Amino acid sequence: RSDIYFPMSYFQPIHDVFFTWGDLSKVVFSEYHHNKITKFINVGNLFYSFPKLEKLRENALSKIKNNLDKDIILNLAVFDRSSSESSYIPPKYHSYFYDKVIELSENNKINLLIKPKQPIKDEILNYRKIRSRIHNLIDKKKLFLFNHQDSIYEAACLSNASLSIGLNTAGVMGAVMGTTPFFWDVQKTSNSTYQKISEMAGFNNEFFISEDLDTLFDNIFPVFSGHLL
């Protein structure tokens, strides 16, 4: 996988063979564990061929149809996380995240393509009238809400950039197909026990990853304007 945290929870240095999506994973696994035993085999990213990216785009366009303002060329994919009280990122952080992201679209010519991991909880939707604000943006054709069972690729393939809660696998996987990712590091991994492995995996880039959402918003606009695309 291109994400690094879930593989770390399964990988053990005693493995004789371990298949990875890319050379970066091999470097992290071998250097982090000082591993000289495991043979790493790079199998590449299966999502370049299956499912076909062209088909994903067709599926996404068929769902969205005329439900987004085509005159707005700035599309932002939005990925949340599991939001139970026992999850890594509880509902109150999701509430703050959605409030800020919706406000971003309300005040700018930006379409939101939201792909929730689960149905968005009432606790979140009731915060600062998020439910009605979502419907208002849908009516204005500035927001499309995917089903939680839809593919993250469908949101990513139609977007200029993505914004994720946490160091989110969805954002990483979208980046593999060329969607510029931004991550709200609400878990503060830069100050955690994962600091070293985060740096090795490239998660210490302060332009794309920040504990402050407003900083990420400021950084997203240059990407939208084409400076980094």
Side-chain angles (χ1 to χ4, degrees), residues 12-53:
Q12 298 295 328
I14 58 172
H15 285 140
D16 293 318
V17 178
F18 198 82
F19 296 93
T20 69
W21 278 10
D23 291 333
L24 176 59
S25 297
K26 172 183 176 180
V27 172
V28 172
F29 289 140
S30 59
E31 293 188 7
Y32 184 74
H33 287 290
H34 306 289
N35 181 3
K36 304 299 182 184
I37 299 174
T38 303
K39 179 179 180 181
F40 294 93
I41 300 176
N42 180 3
V43 295
N45 184 354
L46 61 96
F47 290 101
Y48 274 127
S49 57
F50 178 82
K52 291 183 181 291
L53 298 185

Side-chain angles (χ1 to χ4, degrees), residues 58-172:
E58 290 176 10
N59 289 342
L61 288 172
S62 68
K63 291 175 183 178
I64 290 178
K65 296 181 181 177
N66 297 317
N67 293 317
L68 282 180
D69 188 342
K70 295 180 181 178
D71 291 330
I72 299 177
I73 61 173
L74 308 180
N75 291 339
L76 179 66
V78 179
F79 302 124
D80 64 8
R81 294 281 291 271
S82 300
S83 58
S84 68
E85 288 294 345
S86 60
S87 71
Y88 289 119
I89 304 177
K92 67 177 182 179
Y93 296 101
H94 283 73
S95 299
Y96 176 79
F97 177 78
Y98 275 118
D99 175 44
K100 297 283 286 184
V101 170
I102 290 170
E103 185 179 45
L104 180 71
S105 178
E106 290 170 335
N107 296 333
N108 298 277
K109 290 187 176 182
I110 294 177
N111 289 328
L112 301 178
L113 291 83
I114 298 177
K115 164 55 180 76
K117 188 169 185 178
Q118 302 169 331
I120 303 174
K121 296 181 180 297
D122 287 339
E123 176 183 350
I124 297 168
L125 293 171
N126 292 335
Y127 177 77
R128 291 178 56 84
K129 300 181 179 180
I130 287 176
R131 188 195 310 272
S132 63
R133 292 163 66 197
I134 285 177
H135 287 302
N136 184 46
L137 287 177
I138 290 174
D139 291 341
K140 291 182 177 180
K141 296 186 176 183
K142 293 184 68 180
L143 187 153
F144 186 84
L145 183 62
F146 285 91
N147 187 288
H148 70 283
Q149 295 178 324
D150 288 334
S151 167
I152 66 101
Y153 290 101
E154 293 181 341
C157 73
L158 299 180
S159 299
N160 309 78
S162 69
L163 179 63
S164 303
I165 298 181
L167 303 185
N168 196 325
T169 306
V172 174

